[in-house]
């Protein structure tokens, strides 16, 4: 046992004394010490209930012969952090989460880990730590929130958090009253759990299952269902099997497993943030990963699920329809899945999907009847983004797949949002938001507020938004993010001027600034790096260490 270093021999009597001070008996100390990384808090709706799941995990560990040792992990709610300085801390928290799990596991000689995340950066942060530590590990997420019902349309389409964001734009454009907005606000988020669409949190929880680090059901069982508690108990039991058989993340998170996860990503229409996170996790796992893989796998993988924000279905619908295992089984029929990969069940992907079935062919479509022939994400290249940029193409309206228009240039999200809400953006415009990248932000803020305002004002069929920042998984429309290199590094986006024409061709994977090279070189000769926006604290250190978005925005020391 790895924990022998903290509990065996006469030299470890002081260590055992400290464990006994926590209430552990000699019998418990002799068992494998299983870390339970619990990201519960009472700020984040996806995490407010996680102590209940942690108790179930600990019960499972005890039943299987281990001793659970629980520790806390921070978590940011992207929705609450949105559109103010708090969003600068969201992506930046991912590195702290990974580091803190590493510290707790190594400092206390833990034998294995059960990790309990739910929301946006907590899932990838914990996956990065699991890959780095390579201890036997298993994930059990907190599960998705149920969707809401519009107070004035009880039999109408379901609503969610994005409905609220877009309703703000509707109020500002005069299409909705503030009283109606208040009613939507009260109804959109009816339970605890990660926000109910295929936004970043649920995207990453589904991909955790697809890559093999969570049990079947990890991505889709709603937070409020007793099946979620049972899943947590089973995960606690299963970690002892993984420990006994030494099935570690390096055996699970292989190149083939990442390819499986990307195929599921494309079939589901996941958040653009999955590109950042899968890249970062792959680096920790020592698995080659570049943006060209996105286009390669997206180009051959059909889009089978039309999930909010691009469609009308929610995670509860996907769960009812058969969940991630049913999606994997359908993809496997077309040869898009490597069924030999080992998973946290201690069985292969092929064995896991034997009894999976599609129970609603509208929620999970067949390979012969996809929503789109190609996958959810696309990476565009061109003189504006030499190292690439990312768009959720399945959430883009048909008329915006190809678009050209004049640039409306803003050096911050705040200025762009004000211009949109004040009615200064017109049909045909291309809104450019820069100096919001990993270094320039710092922290690479999500642009859900301006994109939701564009949609709420019914401009999403006429206006594109480009940024070196990123987007919420809840964003829809021609929203193109992660433009690399970023403006703060002198990338071409820093050279765009008001009125320049920008051509976007998503099917051709191209994005072009229609300005002569000689003009760009002259502009570059005049460009000066901006002064750091923040000079103290964690974000100052983050800005100095973080790398480019096209490489996962990881600390440069890791790349």
């Amino acid at each position: 046992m790895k924990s022998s270093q903290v509990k065996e021999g006469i030299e470890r009597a002081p260590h055992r004394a400290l464990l006994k001070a926590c209430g552990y008996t000699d019998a418990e100390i002799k068992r494998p010490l299983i870390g339970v990384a619990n990201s519960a808090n009472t700020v984040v709706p996806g995490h407010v209930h996680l102590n209940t799941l942690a108790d179930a995990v600990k019960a499972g560990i005890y039943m299987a012969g281990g001793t659970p040792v629980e520790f806390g992990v921070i978590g940011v709610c992207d929705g609450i952090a949105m559109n103010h300085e708090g969003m600068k801390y969201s992506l930046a928290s991912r590195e702290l989460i990974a580091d803190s799990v590493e510290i707790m596991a190594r400092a206390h000689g833990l034998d294995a880990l059960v990790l309990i995340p739910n929301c946006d950066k907590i899932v990838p942060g914990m996956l990065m730590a699991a890959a780095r530590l390579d201890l036997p590990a298993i994930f059990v997420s907190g599960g998705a929130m149920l969707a809401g019902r519009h107070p004035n349309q009880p039999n109408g389409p379901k609503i969610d958090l994005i409905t609220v964001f877009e309703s703000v734009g509707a109020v500002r454009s005069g299409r909705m009253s503030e009283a109606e907005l208040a009613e939507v606000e009260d109804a959109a988020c009816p339970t605890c759990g990660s926000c109910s669409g295929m936004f970043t949190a649920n995207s990453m929880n589904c991909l955790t299952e697809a890559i093999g680090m969570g049990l079947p059901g990890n991505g889709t069982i709603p937070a409020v269902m007793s099946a979620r508690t049972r899943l947590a108990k089973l995960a606690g039991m299963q970690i002892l099997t993984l420990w006994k058989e030494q099935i570690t993340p390096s055996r699970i998170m292989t190149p083939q497993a990442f390819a499986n996860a990307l195929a599921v990503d494309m079939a589901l229409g996941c958040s653009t943030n999955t590109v950042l996170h899968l890249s970062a996790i792959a680096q920790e796992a020592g698995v080659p990963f570049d943006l060209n893989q996105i286009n390669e796998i997206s180009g051959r993988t059909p889009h089978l699920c039309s999930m909010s924000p691009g469609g009308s279905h929610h995670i509860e619908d996907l769960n009812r329809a058969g969940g991630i295992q049913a999606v994997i089984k359908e993809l496997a029929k077309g040869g898009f899945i490597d069924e030999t990969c080992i998973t946290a069940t201690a069985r292969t992907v092929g064995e896991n999907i034997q009894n999976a079935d599609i129970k609603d062919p509208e929620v999970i479509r067949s390979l012969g009847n996809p929503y789109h022939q190609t996958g959810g994400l696309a990476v565009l290249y061109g003189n504006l983004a030499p190292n690439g940029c990312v768009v959720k193409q399945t959430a883009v309206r048909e008329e915006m797949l190809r678009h050209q228009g004049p640039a409306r240039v803003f050096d911050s999200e705040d200025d762009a949002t004000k211009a949109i809400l004040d009615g200064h953006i017109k049909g045909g415009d291309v809104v450019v938001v820069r100096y919001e990248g990993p270094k320039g932000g710092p922290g690479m803020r999500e642009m859900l507020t301006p994109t939701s305002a564009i949609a709420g004002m019914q401009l999403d069929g006429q206006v594109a938004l480009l940024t070196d920042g990123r987007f919420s998984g809840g964003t829809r429309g021609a929203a193109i993010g992660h433009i690399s290199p970023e403006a703060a590094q002198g990338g071409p986006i820093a050279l765009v001027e008001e009125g320049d024409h920008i051509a976007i061709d998503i099917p051709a994977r191209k994005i072009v600034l229609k300005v002569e090279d000689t003009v760009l070189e002259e502009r570059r000769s005049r460009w000066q790096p901006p002064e750091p926006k923040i000079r103290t604290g964690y974000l100052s250190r983050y800005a100095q260490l973080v790398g480019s978005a096209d490489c996962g925005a990881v600390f440069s020391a890791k790349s």
Side-chain angles (χ1 to χ4, degrees):
M1 281 186 272
K2 193 168 186 66
S3 59
S4 297
Q5 63 185 306
V6 300
K7 66 185 186 184
E8 291 185 5
I10 60 171
E11 301 88 351
R12 299 297 183 260
H15 306 63
R16 292 192 296 273
L18 291 168
L19 288 170
K20 289 176 180 178
C22 295
Y24 296 110
T25 64
D26 284 321
E28 289 174 303
I29 292 170
K30 289 177 181 177
R31 295 176 173 185
L33 299 184
I34 310 298
V36 178
N38 179 9
S39 55
N41 62 54
T42 59
V43 180
V44 185
H47 292 240
V48 72
H49 64 302
L50 293 189
N51 283 332
T52 299
L53 294 185
D55 287 343
V57 165
K58 289 185 287 186
I61 292 170
Y62 271 122
M63 284 191 288
T67 296
V69 289
E70 183 181 354
F71 59 91
V73 177
I74 64 168
V76 170
C77 176
D78 278 27
I80 296 174
M82 196 67 65
N83 68 34
H84 57 88
E85 69 172 355
M87 182 46 71
K88 295 177 182 290
Y89 288 88
S90 174
L91 181 61
S93 73
R94 187 188 69 182
E95 314 305 306
L96 285 177
I97 290 162
D99 291 348
S100 65
V101 173
E102 175 195 358
I103 288 168
M104 291 299 289
R106 293 291 190 220
H108 302 105
L110 303 182
D111 294 299
L113 291 168
V114 181
L115 301 116
I116 311 175
N118 209 21
C119 290
D120 296 45
K121 309 309 167 297
I122 300 90
V123 187
M126 287 185 173
L127 282 165
M128 290 166 68
R132 185 187 305 172
L133 290 163
D134 204 29
L135 294 170
I138 193 169
F139 281 67
V140 55
S141 78
M145 181 184 292
L146 297 181
R149 290 287 184 181
H150 195 290
N152 298 324
Q153 303 172 40
N155 297 316
K158 296 174 183 176
I159 64 173
D160 53 39
L161 180 67
I162 305 310
T163 312
V164 189
F165 272 98
E166 294 185 359
S167 294
V168 174
V171 171
R172 293 300 293 266
S173 64
R175 295 189 303 104
M176 180 183 285
S177 69
E178 290 189 36
E180 289 174 303
L181 172 61
E183 291 179 332
V184 170
E185 173 188 326
D186 287 343
C189 299
T191 73
C192 63
S194 49
C195 295
S196 56
M198 191 56 74
F199 314 144
T200 303
N202 290 322
S203 294
M204 289 307 304
N205 286 323
C206 289
L207 296 187
T208 299
E209 181 178 339
I211 208 169
M213 289 298 292
L215 296 177
N218 179 75
T220 60
I221 297 173
V224 294
M225 292 181 69
S226 58
R228 175 63 59 179
T229 305
R230 295 196 299 272
L231 186 75
K233 203 168 290 185
L234 290 171
M237 298 171 69
Q238 183 63 16
I239 191 60
L240 271 297
T241 298
L242 298 177
W243 174 74
K244 289 170 185 173
E245 298 185 18
Q246 282 301 292
I247 298 174
T248 63
S250 62
R251 291 182 60 188
I252 296 173
M253 289 197 282
T254 62
Q256 295 78 14
F258 274 92
N260 285 351
L262 281 173
V264 172
D265 190 334
M266 301 310 150
L268 295 176
C270 288
S271 164
T272 53
N273 282 314
T274 61
V275 176
L276 278 177
H277 299 324
L278 287 175
S279 177
I281 297 159
Q283 289 185 60
E284 294 285 3
V287 171
F289 189 100
D290 65 57
L291 295 186
N292 290 320
Q293 287 177 264
I294 306 294
N295 282 342
E296 178 189 345
I297 293 176
S298 181
R300 65 173 186 252
T301 308
H303 177 221
L304 304 181
C305 303
S306 184
M307 309 292 295
S308 175
S312 61
H313 298 134
H314 292 80
I315 300 300
E316 63 201 70
D317 303 310
L318 181 58
N319 186 66
R320 173 179 51 79
I324 299 306
Q325 298 304 307
V327 174
I328 293 173
K329 187 170 185 177
E330 187 64 20
L331 290 172
K333 293 176 184 177
F336 302 114
I337 295 291
D338 187 329
E339 297 183 48
T340 67
C341 294
I342 195 72
T343 72
T345 63
R347 300 189 300 272
T348 65
V349 170
E351 290 171 317
N352 289 344
I353 62 175
Q354 282 183 359
N355 297 320
D357 290 298
I358 295 175
K359 299 173 183 175
D360 186 333
E362 188 61 17
V363 177
I364 304 173
R365 288 195 174 181
S366 67
L367 294 177
N369 182 38
Y371 281 97
H372 300 91
Q373 292 295 334
T374 56
L377 300 180
V379 177
L380 315 184
Y381 293 94
N383 67 343
L384 186 59
N387 295 345
C389 55
V390 184
V391 61
K392 185 190 284 194
Q393 61 181 345
T394 50
V396 179
R397 291 174 60 160
E398 183 73 25
E399 61 268 33
M400 290 299 293
L401 290 173
R402 293 180 176 87
H403 178 75
Q404 180 170 326
R408 305 297 309 280
V409 184
F410 303 92
D411 287 348
S412 73
E413 175 192 0
D414 309 279
D415 290 344
T417 300
K418 186 176 187 304
I420 294 165
L421 291 175
D422 287 350
H424 300 312
I425 302 302
K426 307 300 180 185
D429 287 347
V430 178
V431 178
V432 177
V433 185
R434 62 191 179 190
Y435 297 106
E436 290 285 7
K439 287 183 177 294
M444 203 178 183
R445 289 198 287 182
E446 289 184 345
M447 305 289 164
L448 180 57
T449 298
T451 57
S452 294
I454 288 170
M457 299 171 82
Q458 298 186 323
L459 290 171
D460 54 313
Q462 305 170 59
V463 172
L465 192 150
L466 319 180
T467 182
D468 55 5
R470 59 194 178 91
F471 296 109
S472 162
T475 288
R476 62 186 174 98
I480 301 169
H482 310 192
I483 290 179
S484 301
E486 64 175 288
Q489 293 180 307
I493 190 174
L495 310 178
V496 181
E497 293 186 358
E498 186 82 8
D500 287 347
H501 271 248
I502 296 173
I504 301 161
D505 190 335
I506 294 173
R509 307 295 190 254
K510 291 182 179 178
I511 184 165
V512 178
L513 175 62
K514 308 286 280 187
V515 174
E516 295 293 332
D517 290 345
T518 53
V519 175
L520 289 178
E521 286 306 311
E522 189 277 327
R523 291 179 187 177
R524 184 174 296 284
S525 69
R526 292 186 280 109
W527 180 79
Q528 294 293 323
E531 291 294 316
K533 295 178 183 176
I534 296 177
R535 296 179 179 274
T536 60
Y538 176 61
L539 282 180
S540 175
R541 298 194 300 276
Y542 180 85
Q544 294 173 47
L545 291 171
V546 72
S548 181
D550 61 296
C551 296
V554 297
F555 282 173
S556 56
K558 300 175 187 172
S559 47

